[in-house]
C-alpha cells in the first residue's frame, strides 16, 4: 500500500529545518548504499551523525508520531533516524530495492525495513525531474509532493528517482519496522481503522457496532503484531 500523508510538517517548520540542513556539510550519497545501489545512485547526503541531521531528524520523527494517519498506516515498531538527500543537476537514482535490514545506530540492533518514507522538503516548482517512481502490484506511481508532505510505501517496492534537469530536490528519507510485517495485513488493519473512525463519528464511540468492530481490530492486531 502506498499512502500520501499531507502536511506532516507545516511550511514554517519546513523552512526552519531547511535552514538547519542547508548550512551543514553534505557528502557523497553512496556512504549509505549497499554495493548494488552504489552503482545506481548519484546524489549527496548529510552524514547520519551530523548535528544538523540529528536535529532535523528528531523534529521529523516527532511530527510523524503526532500524525494519526501515519500511526494508523505504518503501525510503527521502530523508526530509523531520518536521513537527508540532495539531488542536484543530473543527479538521480536508478531502479533499486532498499536493503532489507539496517542497523539502528541508536541501539546497534538490526531493523527490518518494512516501509520506506520520503518527506519532501522542496516545493515541486523549484525543480524539474526528480520524480520518485514506485512500482507496486497496481503499476507505476509517480510521486512529487509539496514540501512538508510525505509518501509511505513498502520498502520491498522497486523504485527510482528520475534525473534532475533544473534546480535541486532536498528530502528526508528513512525506514520503519512495523508491528505488522505483512503489507496486506497492515493495509487491512488500516482500512478497518478508517472505517471505525468514520462509524464512530456517525454513531458515537459507545455504539455497539463501533465497540464490536474496535474489538475485532484489536484482536487482529494482537494476533499479528510482532513486539
Ligand atoms: Ni531507495
Amino acid at each position: 500500500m502506498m499512502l500520501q500523508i499531507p502536511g506532516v510538517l507545516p511550511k514554517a517548520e519546513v523552512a526552519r529545518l531547511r535552514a538547519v540542513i542547508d548550512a551543514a556539510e553534505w557528502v557523497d550519497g553512496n556512504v549509505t548504499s549497499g554495493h548494488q545501489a552504489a552503482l545506481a545512485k548519484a546524489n549527496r547526503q548529510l552524514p547520519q551523525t551530523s548535528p544538523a541531521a540529528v536535529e532535523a531528524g528528531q523534529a521529523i520523527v516527532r511530527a510523524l508520531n503526532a500524525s494519526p494517519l501515519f500511526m494508523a498506516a505504518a503501525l510503527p515498531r521502530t523508526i530509523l533516524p531520518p536521513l537527508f538527500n540532495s539531488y542536484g543537476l543530473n543527479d538521480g537514482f536508478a531502479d533499486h530495492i532498499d536493503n532489507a535490514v539496517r542497523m539502528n545506530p541508536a541501539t546497534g540492533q538490526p531493523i527490518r525495513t518494512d516501509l520506506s518514507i520520503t518527506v519532501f522538503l522542496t516545493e515541486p516548482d523549484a525543480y524539474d525531474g526528480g520524480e520518485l517512481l514506485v512500482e507496486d502490484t497496481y503499476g507505476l506511481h509517480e510521486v512529487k509532493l509539496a514540501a512538508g508532505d510525505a509518501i509511505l510505501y513498502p520498502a520491498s517496492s522497486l523504485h527510482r528517482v528520475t534525473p534532475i534537469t533544473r534546480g535541486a530536490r532536498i528530502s528526508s528519507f528513512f525506514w520503519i519496522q512495523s508491528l505488522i510485517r505483512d503489507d496486506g495485513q497492515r493495509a487491512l488493519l488500516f482500512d478497518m481503522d478508517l472505517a471505525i473512525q468514520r462509524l464512530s463519528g456517525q454513531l458515537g464511540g459507545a455504539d455497539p457496532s463501533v465497540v464490536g468492530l474496535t474489538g475485532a481490530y484489536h484482536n487482529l492486531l494482537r494476533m499479528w503484531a510482532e513486539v
Side-chain angles (χ1 to χ4, degrees), residues 108-190:
Q109 295 297 308
I111 295 298
R112 191 186 60 234
T113 57
D114 295 319
L115 290 160
S116 296
I117 188 167
T118 296
V119 181
F120 289 76
L121 298 174
T122 307
E123 295 295 355
D125 61 5
Y127 61 98
D128 291 326
E131 287 90 3
L132 173 65
L133 298 182
V134 182
E135 263 179 56
D136 69 7
T137 46
Y138 300 102
L140 190 64
H141 304 270
E142 185 177 300
V143 186
K144 190 175 198 174
L145 302 181
D149 292 2
I151 185 82
L152 185 69
Y153 61 97
S156 56
S157 315
L158 191 66
H159 60 279
R160 65 182 185 268
V161 176
T162 63
I164 297 277
T165 57
R166 177 185 63 92
R169 168 203 196 265
I170 291 172
S171 309
S172 179
F173 67 103
F174 48 103
W175 297 272
I176 296 137
Q177 181 169 336
S178 178
L179 292 166
I180 306 297
R181 176 183 196 155
D182 182 80
D183 192 53
Q185 290 176 339
R186 199 182 320 108
L188 186 150
L189 287 168
F190 180 57

Side-chain angles (χ1 to χ4, degrees), residues 93 96 98 159:
F93 199 162
H96 66 282
D98 294 339
H159 60 279

Side-chain angles (χ1 to χ4, degrees), residues 35-120:
H35 173 68
Q36 191 207 343
L39 300 173
K41 180 175 177 184
N43 67 11
R44 291 185 307 149
Q45 286 180 200
L46 282 185
Q48 192 154 28
T49 52
S50 90
V54 171
E55 180 186 345
Q58 286 172 348
I60 288 172
V61 171
R62 272 199 306 275
L64 285 174
N65 282 328
S67 162
L69 189 58
F70 169 78
M71 295 302 282
L75 293 168
R77 182 180 190 277
T78 306
I79 302 176
L80 280 168
L83 298 170
F84 295 86
N85 59 20
S86 171
Y87 289 87
L89 198 61
N90 298 323
D91 285 352
F93 199 162
D95 269 334
H96 66 282
I97 287 170
D98 294 339
N99 285 358
V101 175
R102 303 187 73 94
M103 286 302 151
N104 184 350
T107 62
Q109 295 297 308
I111 295 298
R112 191 186 60 234
T113 57
D114 295 319
L115 290 160
S116 296
I117 188 167
T118 296
V119 181
F120 289 76

